[in-house]
Amino acid sequence: MSELKTDTRLWSSKARNLSPYTPGEQPQHDNLCKLNTNENPFPPSPKVGQAIAKVLTKQADDLRLYPAPESDDLRKALADFYHLDTNQVFVGNGSDEVLALAFASFFLKERPVLAPDISYSFYPVYAHTFGIELVQIALEADFSISPDAYRQPCSGIIIANPNAPTGLLMSLADIKKLANEHSNAVIVIDEAYIDFAQTEEGSVSAISLINEFDNLLVTQTFSKSRSLAGLRVGMAFGNASLIEALTRMKNSFNSYPLDKLAQAGATASVLDVEYFEQTRQQVIDLRESLTAELIALDYQVLPSHANFVFARPNDGDANAVASALREQGIIVRHFDKPRINEYLRITIGTAEQHERLISALTALRAMST
């Protein structure tokens, strides 16, 4: 049967010309080793399920009512966790919605927005959707981000830190440099993976800088370190004026973004600090052990601060490795793009998943020698 051609005659020119973001593959197969979408290998805090169950049982009648439009309890929990005021916290339906609102709130100006050329591939989609000029700044030869390369007029800058898909971490000193040198532009630091960053200096989140810089907005997500990708909760932290702009934009688009179950589950996750710290450290430990095992197989592995590693096989044929792994039910991410097409992005999984991956890679290596 021939494939039907899509009829676009009723579409707007905007819809017709969009190039949507392509999310990571979500295959459904038995015995699949899924290491391609940076989901957490551990379940969320048990208190999340308990909080949601409470809403569904004791307060089920409340589901006929709208949820709290500003997610007050969740924002209060986040403010307490990060030692902020509640008016410095914004929450939305996943960090992707929060980022889209940031583009609309701060970057719809005459000057372009700047972003790394190798980073989260949703940034160009947002820019195109909102009709914003995006100037992509090339990463350095070692895939790092140099703040000096961003010295040009702009309406804003957006950087994922740790960056994706490289996993490299930009220092707080470099972020401060950007905020100082672009005082009339909003600097968005997308910290989807920041909870897996670990340095000798301690805290590496740019949230520690928002009281110093009124032009700094930090976004995070519950999808990674809190194992709640299925709940769709994201947040932003910044000067109260930036948060007010996001709230105005949100209430002009989707005034009740988080349902009662999401608010209850996310709040319970924030309050269970012990479980969060325990599973976060487990992922970091698994990342370090996987890195060592890959290096032992002659892979070049970038120093990751995320819940994934970016690894290059000795011969650079990452596509062949990804294809061979797929045949064994092991899914990793390969980006067929210049400069990074010789690398694989491998999500940190369980110890058992790593054992299966390394066993398969060892066999592949033996076949090629």
Side-chain angles (χ1 to χ4, degrees):
M1 185 176 179
S2 61
E3 185 177 341
L4 294 177
K5 185 177 181 181
T6 301
D7 182 1
T8 63
R9 64 186 178 85
L10 300 180
W11 293 16
S12 70
S13 58
K14 172 63 72 175
R16 192 178 296 115
N17 294 319
L18 286 176
S19 298
Y21 169 74
T22 303
E25 182 185 8
Q26 294 281 5
Q28 302 294 325
H29 300 293
D30 293 336
N31 198 32
L32 185 70
C33 183
K34 188 171 178 292
L35 301 174
N36 67 319
T37 52
N38 299 341
E39 293 149 324
N40 199 306
F42 302 108
S45 162
K47 295 182 180 179
V48 171
Q50 294 167 11
I52 292 175
K54 181 179 179 181
V55 175
L56 291 174
T57 54
K58 296 182 180 179
Q59 300 168 321
D61 187 57
D62 282 355
L63 293 180
R64 65 185 176 81
L65 305 174
Y66 284 108
E70 307 304 336
S71 304
D72 301 313
D73 290 346
L74 175 56
R75 290 172 56 238
K76 174 65 165 56
L78 286 167
D80 290 345
F81 185 84
Y82 289 107
H83 308 293
L84 302 171
D85 294 328
T86 305
N87 63 3
Q88 294 176 297
V89 182
F90 177 88
V91 295
N93 189 11
S95 63
D96 287 336
E97 179 184 73
V98 175
L99 289 167
L101 293 172
F103 268 73
S105 299
F106 309 119
F107 298 158
L108 277 173
K109 300 176 181 177
E110 295 74 21
R111 294 170 295 170
V113 60
L114 311 181
D117 65 334
I118 299 171
S119 192
Y120 186 29
S121 56
F122 221 142
Y123 301 155
V125 176
Y126 294 134
H128 187 198
T129 300
F130 292 112
I132 299 167
E133 181 186 359
L134 178 71
V135 174
Q136 294 181 301
I137 309 297
L139 297 182
E140 299 298 296
D142 62 356
F143 294 117
S144 65
I145 295 173
S146 170
D148 295 338
Y150 288 76
R151 287 195 179 123
Q152 56 182 281
C154 64
S155 65
I157 297 170
I158 183 163
I159 289 174
N161 193 47
N163 197 14
T166 65
L168 297 185
L169 184 70
M170 189 178 190
S171 71
L172 288 180
D174 282 346
I175 293 172
K176 291 174 71 170
K177 191 173 186 179
L178 285 175
N180 270 317
E181 293 183 353
H182 298 273
S183 58
N184 291 318
V186 175
I187 313 300
V188 177
I189 304 299
D190 180 1
E191 292 188 342
Y193 304 101
I194 197 66
D195 290 327
F196 304 111
Q198 195 171 55
T199 69
E200 294 179 357
E201 289 74 27
S203 173
V204 290
S205 172
I207 291 176
S208 62
L209 304 177
I210 63 175
N211 285 325
E212 184 177 351
F213 299 99
D214 64 0
N215 61 329
L216 183 63
L217 185 77
V218 182
T219 63
Q220 292 187 4
T221 177
F222 280 72
S223 296
K224 313 301 181 184
S225 59
R226 295 187 181 275
S227 307
L228 290 173
L231 215 55
R232 311 310 303 132
V233 182
M235 59 276 209
F237 308 93
N239 178 276
S241 176
L242 297 183
I243 300 304
E244 182 180 352
L246 286 175
T247 304
R248 287 170 61 89
M249 189 63 69
K250 182 263 293 183
N251 287 338
S252 301
F253 170 68
N254 182 14
S255 56
Y256 296 94
L258 288 184
D259 62 50
K260 289 177 180 288
L261 304 184
Q263 291 187 35
T267 302
S269 174
V270 175
L271 296 177
D272 194 351
V273 178
E274 182 180 357
Y275 185 87
F276 167 72
E277 292 293 349
Q278 174 189 335
T279 53
R280 180 181 74 89
Q281 189 60 50
Q282 284 181 278
V283 171
I284 293 172
D285 293 342
L286 283 164
R287 181 187 68 208
E288 299 312 304
S289 63
L290 178 60
T291 296
E293 290 178 300
L294 288 169
I295 290 174
L297 289 174
D298 291 330
Y299 276 69
Q300 175 190 348
V301 185
L302 298 190
S304 175
H305 286 270
N307 69 331
F308 58 82
V309 294
F310 205 48
R312 180 187 182 277
N314 190 42
D315 62 0
D317 196 350
N319 184 51
V321 174
S323 298
L325 289 174
R326 176 179 290 272
E327 291 178 1
Q328 300 182 53
I330 303 171
I331 312 298
V332 298
R333 193 80 186 263
H334 175 249
F335 298 89
D336 190 15
K337 296 180 179 180
R339 293 188 67 190
I340 59 173
N341 58 3
E342 294 187 349
Y343 287 80
L344 297 171
R345 193 194 69 188
I346 305 172
T347 300
I348 301 307
T350 62
E352 292 75 18
Q353 287 176 315
H354 288 184
E355 183 178 353
R356 182 174 168 186
L357 170 70
I358 294 301
S359 177
L361 292 177
T362 301
L364 287 175
R365 183 187 182 201
M367 291 171 58
S368 63
T369 57

